[in-house]
């Protein structure tokens, strides 16, 4: 087996894992959910669920990964006994399939972001026809930009853990934060923004107990922390044995929540600035325009009303989206690529091109059958697979893996972990509370 990579520092891991967690789910998904789910009530529920349900599952993934220091499938198999081996293979392969399918739809959306970025650039250069082509939905455009986005993703993954994932995460994540703060500050000065800020912070507490809201918040928390497919497990397998895992996991969760909340401060006020400038932001039924019309209709329309500043704002905004998507997509591709190189012994570069090429074929299939497949793949992966695989991870950690071995793993890099608050709460929590809560919410989503 070729030497495996390892993150060279704590910061490198935190930025890479935060890069995975912070993606379109934060900047696009989260504000939409807030807008359509009672404003601050959703923010509140989402933060609580991240700590109660998502952080413990994140820790399960990180601990399993660092223990085995192998790809996802082998990592789970290592913990299983003869009787649970079949379940370990099932969980590992299902996770790998889910990671690949998430990438297959995510890259299509990321391609749209890239196209809009080029559209804004063409606008700046006064090329209005070209700009129109970039921002109009067409089969050719979607194919070209999806392939371009795969090329970026694959070329980073092919370079390996330190010179690929780590180097690009540590370059791109600070850029992302700066872009975000610049955009928030600029939008906040525009007329109408104050209304958005007010609505964002105003929680409609009657909504907190709404089961649909809770379910949406759970799905959002899982997707946002990249859980339930082995992404965090494989990133965990590249953490050095001298690092304190509970603390690293907490940093990642806090960054992820922080950027989601910041994204709300960007997108929600922007919608009200748009309204102030005469752009329609409510549909006929009086609901805020959400999903794709928010990003691809409302915001571009807003940028149009802002003149020269709007062109720059739109370039910054779509580069923000593309960067966020890229640091996430590499983490999805890493799951099957790690399997191909760790377990099948393929050379990393070759594995990246082959696996990346295969997943690209799935994307092409979806682009050609968009109406039938796009929503289906999203539902299968995010609504069903992620929570259920997350549940299986909890089962392995809570019921199958010997508790003293788990403690030994955590103690590496965290001396005295046996007396920590984390160790007093977390083991029983992943054993009983997380599986029950996931099942309960899952059962409700079927009903
Ligand atoms: N968390 C990312 C986002 O919020 C998406 C993501 C990256 C992901 N890797 C994942 C989602 C693995 C699920 C599983 O956009």
């Amino acid at each position: 087996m070729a030497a495996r990579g390892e993150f060279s520092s704590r910061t490198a891991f935190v930025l890479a894992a935060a890069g995975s967690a912070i993606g379109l789910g934060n900047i696009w998904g989260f504000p939409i959910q807030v807008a359509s789910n009672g404003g601050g009530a959703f923010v509140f529920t989402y933060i609580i669920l991240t700590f109660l349900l998502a952080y413990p599952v994140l820790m399960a993934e990180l601990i399993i990964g660092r223990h085995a220091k192998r790809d996802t499938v082998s990592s789970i198999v290592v913990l299983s006994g003869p009787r649970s081996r079949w379940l370990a293979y099932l969980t590992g392969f299902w996770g790998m399939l889910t990671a690949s399918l998430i990438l297959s739809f995510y890259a299509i959306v990321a391609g749209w972001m890239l196209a809009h970025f080029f559209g804004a650039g063409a606008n700046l250069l006064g090329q209005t026809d070209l700009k129109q082509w970039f921002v109009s939905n067409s089969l050719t455009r979607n194919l070209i930009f999806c392939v371009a986005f795969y090329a970026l993703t694959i070329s980073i993954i092919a370079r390996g853990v330190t010179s690929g994932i780590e180097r690009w995460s540590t370059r791109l994540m600070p850029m992302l934060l700066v872009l975000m703060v610049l955009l928030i500050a600029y939008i906040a000065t525009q007329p109408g923004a104050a209304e958005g800020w007010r609505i964002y912070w105003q929680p409609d507490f009657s909504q907190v107990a709404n089961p649909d809201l809770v379910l949406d918040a759970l799905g959002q928390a899982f997707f946002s922390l990249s859980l339930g497919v082995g992404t965090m497990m494989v990133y965990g397998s590249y953490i050095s044995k001298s690092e304190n895992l509970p603390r690293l996991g907490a940093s990642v969760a806090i960054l992820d929540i922080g950027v989601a909340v910041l994204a709300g401060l960007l997108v929600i006020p922007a919608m009200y600035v748009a309204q102030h400038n005469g752009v329609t932001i409510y549909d006929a039924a009086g609901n805020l325009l959400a999903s794709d019309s928010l990003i691809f209709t409302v915001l571009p329309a807003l940028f149009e009303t802002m003149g020269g500043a709007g062109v720059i704002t739109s370039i910054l905004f779509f580069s923000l989206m593309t960067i966020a998507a890229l640091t996430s997509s590499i983490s999805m591709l890493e799951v099957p690529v790690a399997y191909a190189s760790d377990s099948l012994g393929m050379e990393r570069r070759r594995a990246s091109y082959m696996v990346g090429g295969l997943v690209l074929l799935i994307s092409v299939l979806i682009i050609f059958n968009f109406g039938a497949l796009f929503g289906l793949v999203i539902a299968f992966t995010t609504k069903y697979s992620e929570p259920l695989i997350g549940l299986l991870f909890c089962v392995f950690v809570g019921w199958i893996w010997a508790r003293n071995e788990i403690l030994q793993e955590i103690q590496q890099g965290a001396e005295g972990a046996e007396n920590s608050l984390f160790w007093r709460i977390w083991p029983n929590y992943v054993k009983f509370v997380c599986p029950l809560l996931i099942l309960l919410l899952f059962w409700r989503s079927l009903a």
Side-chain angles (χ1 to χ4, degrees):
M1 191 180 79
R4 290 185 99 243
E6 189 169 270
F7 289 115
S8 59
S9 69
R10 185 178 313 168
T11 320
F13 164 77
V14 172
L15 287 180
S20 166
I22 297 166
L24 300 178
N26 298 61
I27 306 180
W28 182 4
F30 182 77
I32 288 175
Q33 301 251 26
V34 174
S36 45
N37 267 316
F42 185 84
V43 182
F44 175 79
T45 315
Y46 164 78
I47 294 178
I48 302 280
L49 279 181
T50 298
F51 282 113
L52 288 188
L53 260 168
Y55 173 70
V57 179
L58 170 68
M59 287 315 302
E61 290 204 31
L62 293 182
I63 295 169
I64 297 176
R66 194 185 63 171
H67 175 71
K69 290 210 150 261
R70 296 289 304 249
D71 64 273
T72 322
V73 179
S74 332
S75 293
I76 307 171
V77 169
V78 166
L79 327 173
S80 64
R83 278 190 306 153
S84 53
R85 190 132 305 156
W86 65 274
L87 189 63
Y89 277 107
L90 176 82
T91 310
F93 280 111
W94 186 9
M96 206 157 69
L97 175 74
T98 305
S100 312
L101 288 177
I102 291 180
L103 176 58
S104 74
F105 77 76
Y106 204 83
I108 298 176
V109 180
W112 299 338
M113 301 296 171
L114 198 57
H116 276 259
F117 169 72
F118 277 92
N123 203 9
L124 183 69
L125 303 174
Q127 303 289 325
T128 32
D129 288 348
L130 195 58
K131 177 212 151 189
Q132 210 43 49
W133 183 79
F134 282 130
V135 302
S136 315
N137 193 11
S138 72
L139 203 60
T140 334
R141 182 209 67 170
N142 292 346
L143 283 172
I144 290 177
F145 282 95
C146 182
V147 171
F149 188 76
Y150 270 95
L152 292 173
T153 306
I154 294 172
S155 63
I156 294 179
I157 285 302
R159 289 186 167 85
V161 179
T162 6
S163 10
I165 300 176
E166 172 174 329
R167 176 170 309 156
W168 282 96
S169 304
T170 47
R171 279 180 190 164
L172 294 175
M173 291 311 287
M175 271 172 72
L176 178 131
L177 284 178
V178 171
L179 282 175
M180 189 132 191
V181 172
L182 280 179
L183 284 166
I184 293 174
Y186 179 67
I187 293 289
T189 63
Q190 300 297 107
E195 171 77 354
W197 279 72
R198 193 178 59 73
I199 293 203
Y200 188 56
W201 290 121
Q202 187 177 63
D204 174 1
F205 275 114
S206 66
Q207 290 287 318
V208 170
N210 176 351
D212 291 331
L213 181 147
V214 177
L215 200 66
D216 282 349
L218 173 76
Q220 178 66 25
F222 257 71
F223 185 78
S224 189
L225 268 180
S226 309
L227 299 178
V229 304
T231 285
M232 288 299 180
M233 200 179 287
V234 77
Y235 273 20
S237 78
Y238 302 131
I239 300 178
S240 137
K241 293 280 184 190
S242 59
E243 298 292 351
N244 180 326
L245 287 179
R247 202 180 303 157
L248 288 187
S251 316
V252 174
I254 289 169
L255 278 173
D256 184 48
I257 292 178
V259 172
V261 171
L262 281 180
L265 285 180
L266 170 61
V267 174
I268 307 280
M271 290 190 83
Y272 286 88
V273 176
Q275 184 184 39
H276 180 270
N277 294 4
V279 178
T280 317
I281 65 167
Y282 291 100
D283 64 14
N287 298 316
L288 273 173
L289 284 174
S291 73
D292 49 346
S293 47
L294 167 61
I295 298 290
F296 299 115
T297 314
V298 175
L299 295 183
L302 163 67
F303 301 145
E304 296 271 319
T305 64
M306 288 160 57
V311 179
I312 305 291
T313 315
S314 126
I315 292 186
L316 296 183
F317 180 75
F318 286 107
S319 40
L320 171 74
M321 292 304 239
T322 308
I323 292 174
L326 187 58
T327 52
S328 297
S329 65
I330 57 177
S331 75
M332 300 170 199
L333 184 58
E334 182 59 21
V335 177
V337 168
Y339 175 76
S341 62
D342 285 351
S343 283
L344 305 181
M346 275 171 78
E347 192 259 324
R348 185 174 179 98
R349 184 162 283 276
R350 216 174 132 224
S352 311
Y353 288 112
M354 285 197 37
V355 177
L358 270 177
V359 186
L360 167 63
L361 285 183
I362 306 179
S363 295
V364 171
L365 198 71
I366 298 178
I367 291 178
F368 277 106
N369 301 280
F370 195 80
L373 291 183
F374 187 68
L376 194 69
V377 174
I378 295 184
F380 170 75
T381 52
T382 63
K383 208 166 155 195
Y384 303 105
S385 297
E386 284 196 86
L388 288 183
I389 300 171
L391 175 81
L392 287 171
F393 290 160
C394 292
V395 169
F396 274 97
V397 169
W399 298 85
I400 296 175
W401 195 5
R403 204 174 271 206
N404 61 329
E405 280 187 31
I406 302 180
L407 180 58
Q408 278 166 17
E409 183 55 46
I410 299 175
Q411 279 169 329
Q412 305 198 47
E415 243 172 82
E418 65 282 3
N419 297 318
S420 63
L421 186 64
F422 179 79
W423 185 250
R424 255 176 274 158
I425 298 175
W426 179 80
N428 283 322
Y429 206 86
V430 273
K431 184 165 185 170
F432 301 108
V433 183
C434 291
L436 273 176
L437 275 178
I438 296 176
L439 272 184
L440 187 75
L441 288 166
F442 189 72
W443 173 71
R444 261 215 63 99
S445 78
L446 296 183

